[in-house]
Amino acid sequence: FFNYTFIDFDDVNATQYFDTTVLANSQYSSLGLNIEVEVPNTAYILNESSATNESEPNVLAFYSNQTANASAGFSFDFPINSFFIDNSCLQVCNISLNAYTDYNYSNISNLYKTINITSEVNSDMEAYGWNDLSGVVYIQVVWSNMSLVVMDNLNFSTLYEYEEEFSYSSPHNY
């Protein structure tokens, strides 16, 4: 049996400005999810009015003044079986989603699956991900040629047997 979790980031009172909104890093740690970034303070929950008109009211926004290559990750306390997230860019962008069976994502032998995405300027939100992840604990998001990545509607599932130590009920909707 699977436990499904849906996070639309709308449970936070976010602003449309990076300097006054909410950092996303440990916002959902009670669900076994941490959002990790290589550059501190670059993962935000942002009011959508500053990013896109498709996902109200909030989105997950990765912002960095480093446009060459940057990355962030979704780290799970327990193995996941599926992962989907909507993505949009304000300019042409290249994004890779990499699924790892270990938290050591620098070791390529832990890479389980990859999706490469090229998105057009002001593209519509589109869902990307997998239904067939077995034992994946880390999803890495790598982007290039832009400073802002906007995501929303994160869905993931786990087997109940992995979550025995957690006491929340299913399904989750945050």
Side-chain angles (χ1 to χ4, degrees):
F1 294 102
F2 294 105
N3 180 35
Y4 293 91
T5 300
F6 175 76
I7 301 171
D8 63 9
F9 306 101
D10 294 341
D11 61 316
V12 174
N13 187 16
T15 70
Q16 61 183 344
Y17 305 105
F18 286 104
D19 59 346
T20 60
T21 197
V22 177
L23 285 172
N25 302 49
S26 61
Q27 187 70 32
Y28 300 97
S29 61
S30 65
L31 300 176
L33 168 67
N34 286 291
I35 299 169
E36 301 175 350
V37 291
E38 62 183 31
V39 178
N41 302 331
T42 56
Y44 299 92
I45 300 173
L46 194 66
N47 183 282
E48 66 84 25
S49 62
S50 63
T52 177
N53 292 323
E54 292 195 43
S55 177
E56 295 183 14
N58 297 336
V59 294
L60 175 63
F62 295 110
Y63 174 77
S64 173
N65 58 10
Q66 172 185 347
T67 59
N69 284 307
S71 70
F74 298 93
S75 178
F76 298 91
D77 289 348
F78 34 80
I80 62 173
N81 293 348
S82 67
F83 176 91
F84 287 92
I85 194 159
D86 293 352
N87 169 73
S88 181
C89 297
L90 301 179
Q91 60 197 54
V92 175
C93 63
N94 299 309
I95 299 172
S96 292
L97 295 178
N98 303 308
Y100 291 90
T101 56
D102 191 277
Y103 299 105
N104 182 5
Y105 56 86
S106 62
N107 183 345
I108 196 68
S109 68
N110 295 324
L111 180 62
Y112 187 71
K113 290 189 174 210
T114 295
I115 295 176
N116 293 308
I117 305 160
T118 299
S119 193
E120 299 299 321
V121 177
N122 290 323
S123 61
D124 293 341
M125 284 271 190
E126 270 189 73
Y128 296 95
W130 306 272
N131 269 325
D132 55 349
L133 299 177
S134 178
V136 166
V137 294
Y138 192 85
I139 304 290
Q140 181 188 40
V141 181
V142 180
W143 65 90
S144 61
N145 303 322
M146 74 203 138
S147 58
L148 177 65
V149 174
V150 178
M151 297 184 161
D152 202 6
N153 300 325
L154 168 63
N155 293 276
F156 65 93
S157 68
T158 60
L159 286 172
Y160 282 116
E161 67 187 68
Y162 294 130
E163 298 187 38
E164 291 174 357
E165 64 192 83
F166 294 93
S167 60
Y168 47 78
S169 62
S170 175
H172 309 297
N173 190 5
Y174 295 92

Coordinates of all heavy atoms in Angstrom, one line a residue, residues 24-83:
A24 N 12.2 27.7 2.1 CA 11.5 26.4 1.9 C 12.2 25.3 2.6 O 11.7 24.2 2.8 CB 11.3 26.1 0.5
N25 N 13.5 25.5 2.9 CA 14.4 24.4 3.3 C 13.8 23.3 4.2 O 13.7 22.1 3.8 CB 15.6 24.9 3.9 CG 16.4 25.9 3.0 OD1 15.7 26.8 2.5 ND2 17.6 25.7 2.8
S26 N 13.3 23.6 5.4 CA 12.8 22.6 6.3 C 11.3 22.8 6.5 O 10.8 22.2 7.5 CB 13.6 22.6 7.6 OG 13.4 23.9 8.2
Q27 N 10.7 23.5 5.7 CA 9.2 23.8 5.9 C 8.4 22.5 6.0 O 7.4 22.5 6.6 CB 8.8 24.7 4.7 CG 7.4 25.2 4.9 CD 7.2 26.3 6.0 OE1 8.1 27.0 6.2 NE2 6.1 26.3 6.6
Y28 N 8.8 21.5 5.3 CA 8.0 20.2 5.2 C 8.7 19.1 5.8 O 8.5 17.9 5.5 CB 7.6 20.0 3.8 CG 6.7 21.1 3.2 CD1 7.3 22.1 2.5 CD2 5.4 21.2 3.6 CE1 6.5 23.2 2.0 CE2 4.6 22.3 3.1 CZ 5.2 23.3 2.4 OH 4.4 24.3 1.9
S29 N 9.6 19.3 6.7 CA 10.4 18.2 7.4 C 9.5 17.3 8.2 O 9.9 16.1 8.3 CB 11.6 18.8 8.2 OG 11.0 19.6 9.3
S30 N 8.4 17.8 8.7 CA 7.5 16.9 9.4 C 6.9 15.8 8.5 O 6.4 14.8 9.0 CB 6.4 17.7 10.1 OG 5.6 18.3 9.1
L31 N 7.0 16.0 7.2 CA 6.5 15.0 6.2 C 7.7 14.1 5.7 O 7.5 13.3 4.8 CB 5.9 15.7 5.0 CG 4.7 16.6 5.3 CD1 4.2 17.2 4.1 CD2 3.6 15.7 6.0
G32 N 8.9 14.3 6.3 CA 10.0 13.6 5.8 C 10.7 14.1 4.6 O 11.4 13.4 3.9
L33 N 10.4 15.4 4.3 CA 11.0 16.1 3.1 C 11.8 17.3 3.5 O 11.3 18.1 4.3 CB 9.9 16.5 2.1 CG 10.3 17.4 1.0 CD1 11.2 16.8 0.0 CD2 9.1 18.0 0.3
N34 N 13.0 17.4 3.1 CA 13.8 18.6 3.2 C 14.3 19.0 1.9 O 14.6 18.2 1.0 CB 15.0 18.3 4.1 CG 14.6 18.2 5.6 OD1 14.2 19.2 6.2 ND2 14.7 17.0 6.1
I35 N 14.3 20.3 1.7 CA 14.7 20.9 0.4 C 16.1 21.5 0.6 O 16.3 22.4 1.5 CB 13.7 22.0 -0.1 CG1 12.3 21.3 -0.3 CG2 14.2 22.7 -1.3 CD1 11.2 22.3 -0.5
E36 N 17.0 21.0 -0.1 CA 18.4 21.3 0.1 C 18.9 22.1 -1.0 O 18.6 21.9 -2.2 CB 19.3 20.1 0.3 CG 18.8 19.2 1.5 CD 19.6 17.9 1.5 OE1 20.3 17.6 0.6 OE2 19.4 17.2 2.6
V37 N 19.8 23.1 -0.8 CA 20.4 23.9 -1.8 C 21.9 24.0 -1.6 O 22.4 23.9 -0.5 CB 19.8 25.3 -1.8 CG1 18.3 25.3 -2.3 CG2 19.8 26.0 -0.4
E38 N 22.6 24.2 -2.7 CA 24.1 24.3 -2.6 C 24.5 25.7 -2.2 O 25.5 25.9 -1.6 CB 24.8 23.9 -3.9 CG 24.4 24.7 -5.1 CD 25.1 24.2 -6.3 OE1 25.3 23.0 -6.5 OE2 25.4 25.0 -7.2
V39 N 23.7 26.7 -2.5 CA 23.9 28.1 -2.1 C 22.8 28.4 -1.0 O 21.6 28.3 -1.3 CB 23.8 29.0 -3.3 CG1 24.0 30.5 -2.8 CG2 24.8 28.6 -4.4
P40 N 23.2 28.8 0.2 CA 22.3 29.0 1.2 C 21.2 30.1 0.8 O 21.5 31.0 0.0 CB 23.1 29.5 2.4 CG 24.5 29.0 2.1 CD 24.6 28.9 0.6
N41 N 20.0 30.0 1.3 CA 19.0 30.9 1.1 C 18.6 31.1 -0.3 O 18.5 32.3 -0.8 CB 19.3 32.3 1.8 CG 19.5 32.1 3.3 OD1 19.0 31.2 3.9 ND2 20.4 33.0 3.8
T42 N 18.4 30.0 -1.1 CA 18.0 30.1 -2.5 C 16.7 29.4 -2.8 O 16.3 29.3 -3.9 CB 19.2 29.6 -3.4 OG1 19.5 28.3 -3.1 CG2 20.4 30.5 -3.3
A43 N 16.1 28.7 -1.8 CA 14.9 28.0 -2.0 C 13.8 28.7 -1.2 O 13.8 28.7 0.0 CB 15.0 26.5 -1.6
Y44 N 12.8 29.3 -1.9 CA 11.8 30.1 -1.3 C 10.4 29.6 -1.7 O 10.2 29.0 -2.7 CB 11.9 31.5 -1.8 CG 13.2 32.2 -1.5 CD1 14.2 32.2 -2.4 CD2 13.4 32.9 -0.3 CE1 15.4 32.8 -2.2 CE2 14.6 33.5 0.0 CZ 15.6 33.5 -1.0 OH 16.8 34.1 -0.7
I45 N 9.4 29.9 -0.8 CA 8.0 29.8 -1.1 C 7.6 31.2 -1.4 O 7.7 32.1 -0.6 CB 7.2 29.1 0.0 CG1 7.7 27.7 0.3 CG2 5.7 29.1 -0.3 CD1 7.2 27.1 1.5
L46 N 7.2 31.4 -2.6 CA 7.0 32.7 -3.2 C 5.5 32.9 -3.6 O 5.0 32.0 -4.2 CB 7.9 33.0 -4.4 CG 8.1 34.4 -4.9 CD1 8.8 35.2 -3.9 CD2 9.0 34.3 -6.2
N47 N 4.9 34.1 -3.4 CA 3.6 34.3 -3.9 C 3.7 34.4 -5.4 O 4.5 35.1 -6.0 CB 3.1 35.7 -3.3 CG 1.7 35.9 -3.8 OD1 1.5 36.4 -4.9 ND2 0.7 35.7 -2.9
E48 N 2.8 33.7 -6.1 CA 2.9 33.5 -7.6 C 2.8 34.8 -8.4 O 3.2 34.8 -9.5 CB 1.9 32.5 -8.1 CG 0.5 32.9 -7.9 CD 0.0 33.8 -9.0 OE1 0.5 33.7 -10.1 OE2 -1.0 34.5 -8.8
S49 N 2.3 35.8 -7.8 CA 2.1 37.0 -8.6 C 3.4 37.6 -9.2 O 3.4 38.4 -10.1 CB 1.3 38.1 -7.8 OG 2.1 38.5 -6.7
S50 N 4.5 37.2 -8.6 CA 5.8 37.7 -9.1 C 6.4 36.7 -10.0 O 7.5 37.0 -10.6 CB 6.7 38.0 -7.9 OG 7.0 36.8 -7.2
A51 N 5.8 35.5 -10.2 CA 6.5 34.5 -11.0 C 5.7 34.0 -12.2 O 6.2 34.0 -13.3 CB 6.9 33.3 -10.1
T52 N 4.5 33.6 -12.0 CA 3.7 33.0 -13.0 C 2.2 33.2 -12.7 O 1.9 33.3 -11.5 CB 4.0 31.5 -13.2 OG1 3.2 31.0 -14.2 CG2 3.9 30.7 -12.0
N53 N 1.4 33.1 -13.7 CA 0.0 33.3 -13.4 C -0.8 31.9 -13.4 O -2.0 31.9 -13.5 CB -0.7 34.2 -14.4 CG -0.2 35.6 -14.3 OD1 0.0 36.1 -13.2 ND2 0.0 36.3 -15.4
E54 N 0.0 30.9 -13.3 CA -0.6 29.6 -13.4 C -0.9 28.8 -12.1 O -1.6 27.8 -12.1 CB 0.3 28.7 -14.2 CG 0.3 29.1 -15.6 CD 0.9 28.1 -16.5 OE1 0.6 26.9 -16.3 OE2 1.7 28.4 -17.3
S55 N -0.3 29.3 -11.0 CA -0.4 28.5 -9.8 C -0.6 29.4 -8.6 O 0.3 30.0 -8.1 CB 0.9 27.7 -9.7 OG 0.9 27.0 -8.5
E56 N -1.8 29.5 -8.2 CA -2.1 30.4 -7.1 C -2.3 29.7 -5.8 O -2.8 28.6 -5.8 CB -3.4 31.2 -7.5 CG -3.2 32.1 -8.7 CD -4.4 32.9 -9.0 OE1 -5.3 33.0 -8.2 OE2 -4.4 33.5 -10.1
P57 N -2.0 30.3 -4.7 CA -1.3 31.6 -4.6 C 0.3 31.4 -4.6 O 1.0 32.4 -4.9 CB -1.7 32.2 -3.3 CG -2.0 31.0 -2.4 CD -2.5 29.9 -3.4
N58 N 0.8 30.2 -4.2 CA 2.3 30.1 -4.0 C 2.9 29.1 -4.9 O 2.3 28.2 -5.4 CB 2.6 29.7 -2.6 CG 2.1 30.8 -1.6 OD1 1.9 31.9 -1.9 ND2 1.9 30.3 -0.3
V59 N 4.2 29.3 -5.1 CA 5.1 28.4 -5.8 C 6.4 28.2 -5.0 O 6.7 29.0 -4.1 CB 5.5 28.9 -7.2 CG1 4.2 28.9 -8.1 CG2 6.2 30.2 -7.2
L60 N 7.1 27.1 -5.3 CA 8.4 26.9 -4.9 C 9.4 27.5 -5.9 O 9.3 27.2 -7.1 CB 8.7 25.4 -4.7 CG 10.2 25.0 -4.3 CD1 10.5 25.5 -2.9 CD2 10.3 23.5 -4.4
A61 N 10.2 28.5 -5.4 CA 11.1 29.2 -6.4 C 12.5 29.0 -5.9 O 12.9 29.2 -4.7 CB 10.7 30.6 -6.4
F62 N 13.4 28.5 -6.8 CA 14.8 28.4 -6.6 C 15.4 29.6 -7.3 O 15.3 29.8 -8.5 CB 15.4 27.2 -7.2 CG 14.9 25.9 -6.5 CD1 14.1 25.0 -7.1 CD2 15.3 25.6 -5.2 CE1 13.6 23.9 -6.5 CE2 14.8 24.5 -4.5 CZ 14.0 23.6 -5.2
Y63 N 16.1 30.5 -6.5 CA 16.7 31.7 -7.1 C 18.1 31.7 -6.7 O 18.5 31.5 -5.6 CB 16.0 33.0 -6.5 CG 16.6 34.2 -7.0 CD1 16.5 34.7 -8.3 CD2 17.5 34.9 -6.1 CE1 17.1 35.8 -8.7 CE2 18.1 36.1 -6.5 CZ 17.9 36.5 -7.8 OH 18.6 37.7 -8.2
S64 N 18.9 32.0 -7.7 CA 20.4 32.2 -7.5 C 20.9 33.2 -8.5 O 20.5 33.2 -9.7 CB 21.1 30.8 -7.7 OG 22.5 31.0 -7.7
N65 N 21.8 34.0 -8.1 CA 22.5 34.9 -9.0 C 23.6 34.2 -9.8 O 24.2 34.7 -10.6 CB 23.1 36.1 -8.3 CG 24.1 35.8 -7.2 OD1 24.5 34.6 -7.1 ND2 24.4 36.8 -6.4
Q66 N 23.7 32.9 -9.6 CA 24.6 32.0 -10.3 C 23.8 31.4 -11.4 O 23.0 30.5 -11.2 CB 25.1 31.0 -9.3 CG 26.0 29.9 -10.0 CD 26.3 28.8 -9.0 OE1 26.2 29.0 -7.8 NE2 26.8 27.7 -9.4
T67 N 24.0 31.9 -12.7 CA 23.1 31.4 -13.8 C 23.8 30.3 -14.6 O 23.1 29.6 -15.4 CB 22.8 32.5 -14.7 OG1 24.0 33.1 -15.2 CG2 21.9 33.5 -14.0
A68 N 25.1 30.0 -14.4 CA 25.8 29.0 -15.2 C 25.2 27.6 -14.9 O 24.6 27.0 -15.7 CB 27.3 29.0 -15.0
N69 N 25.4 27.1 -13.7 CA 24.9 25.8 -13.3 C 24.6 26.0 -11.8 O 25.5 26.4 -11.0 CB 25.9 24.7 -13.5 CG 25.9 24.3 -14.9 OD1 24.9 24.0 -15.5 ND2 27.1 24.2 -15.5
A70 N 23.5 25.5 -11.4 CA 23.1 25.5 -10.0 C 22.3 24.3 -9.7 O 21.7 23.7 -10.6 CB 22.4 26.8 -9.6
S71 N 22.1 23.9 -8.4 CA 21.3 22.7 -8.1 C 20.7 22.8 -6.8 O 21.1 23.6 -5.9 CB 22.1 21.4 -8.2 OG 23.1 21.4 -7.2
A72 N 19.6 22.1 -6.6 CA 18.9 21.9 -5.3 C 18.4 20.5 -5.3 O 18.5 19.8 -6.3 CB 17.8 22.9 -5.3
G73 N 17.9 20.1 -4.1 CA 17.5 18.7 -4.0 C 16.3 18.6 -3.1 O 16.1 19.4 -2.2
F74 N 15.6 17.5 -3.3 CA 14.5 17.0 -2.4 C 15.1 15.8 -1.7 O 15.2 14.8 -2.3 CB 13.3 16.7 -3.2 CG 12.7 17.9 -3.9 CD1 13.1 18.2 -5.2 CD2 11.9 18.8 -3.3 CE1 12.6 19.2 -5.9 CE2 11.4 19.9 -4.0 CZ 11.7 20.1 -5.3
S75 N 15.3 15.9 -0.4 CA 15.8 14.8 0.4 C 14.7 14.2 1.2 O 14.0 14.9 2.0 CB 17.0 15.3 1.3 OG 17.5 14.3 2.1
F76 N 14.5 12.9 1.1 CA 13.4 12.2 1.8 C 14.0 11.4 2.9 O 15.0 10.7 2.8 CB 12.7 11.3 0.8 CG 12.0 12.1 -0.3 CD1 12.7 12.4 -1.5 CD2 10.7 12.7 -0.1 CE1 12.1 13.1 -2.5 CE2 10.1 13.4 -1.1 CZ 10.8 13.7 -2.3
D77 N 13.3 11.3 4.0 CA 13.7 10.5 5.2 C 13.5 9.0 5.0 O 14.0 8.2 5.7 CB 12.9 10.9 6.4 CG 13.3 12.3 7.0 OD1 14.3 12.9 6.5 OD2 12.6 12.8 7.8
F78 N 12.7 8.7 4.0 CA 12.4 7.3 3.7 C 12.3 7.1 2.2 O 12.1 8.1 1.4 CB 11.1 6.9 4.3 CG 10.1 8.0 4.4 CD1 9.3 8.3 3.3 CD2 9.9 8.7 5.5 CE1 8.4 9.3 3.3 CE2 9.0 9.8 5.6 CZ 8.2 10.1 4.5
P79 N 12.5 5.9 1.6 CA 12.5 5.7 0.2 C 11.1 6.1 -0.4 O 10.1 5.8 0.2 CB 12.8 4.2 0.0 CG 13.5 3.9 1.3 CD 12.9 4.7 2.3
I80 N 11.2 6.7 -1.6 CA 9.9 7.0 -2.3 C 9.7 6.1 -3.5 O 10.7 5.5 -4.0 CB 9.9 8.5 -2.7 CG1 11.0 8.8 -3.7 CG2 9.9 9.4 -1.5 CD1 11.0 10.2 -4.3
N81 N 8.5 6.0 -3.9 CA 8.1 5.2 -5.1 C 7.7 6.0 -6.3 O 7.8 5.5 -7.4 CB 7.0 4.2 -4.7 CG 7.4 3.2 -3.7 OD1 8.6 3.1 -3.4 ND2 6.4 2.5 -3.1
S82 N 7.2 7.2 -6.0 CA 6.9 8.1 -7.2 C 7.2 9.5 -6.8 O 7.3 9.9 -5.6 CB 5.4 8.0 -7.5 OG 4.6 8.5 -6.5
F83 N 7.5 10.4 -7.8 CA 7.8 11.8 -7.6 C 7.3 12.5 -8.8 O 7.7 12.1 -10.0 CB 9.3 11.9 -7.4 CG 9.7 13.4 -7.3 CD1 9.8 14.0 -6.0 CD2 10.1 14.1 -8.4 CE1 10.2 15.3 -5.9 CE2 10.4 15.5 -8.3 CZ 10.5 16.0 -7.1

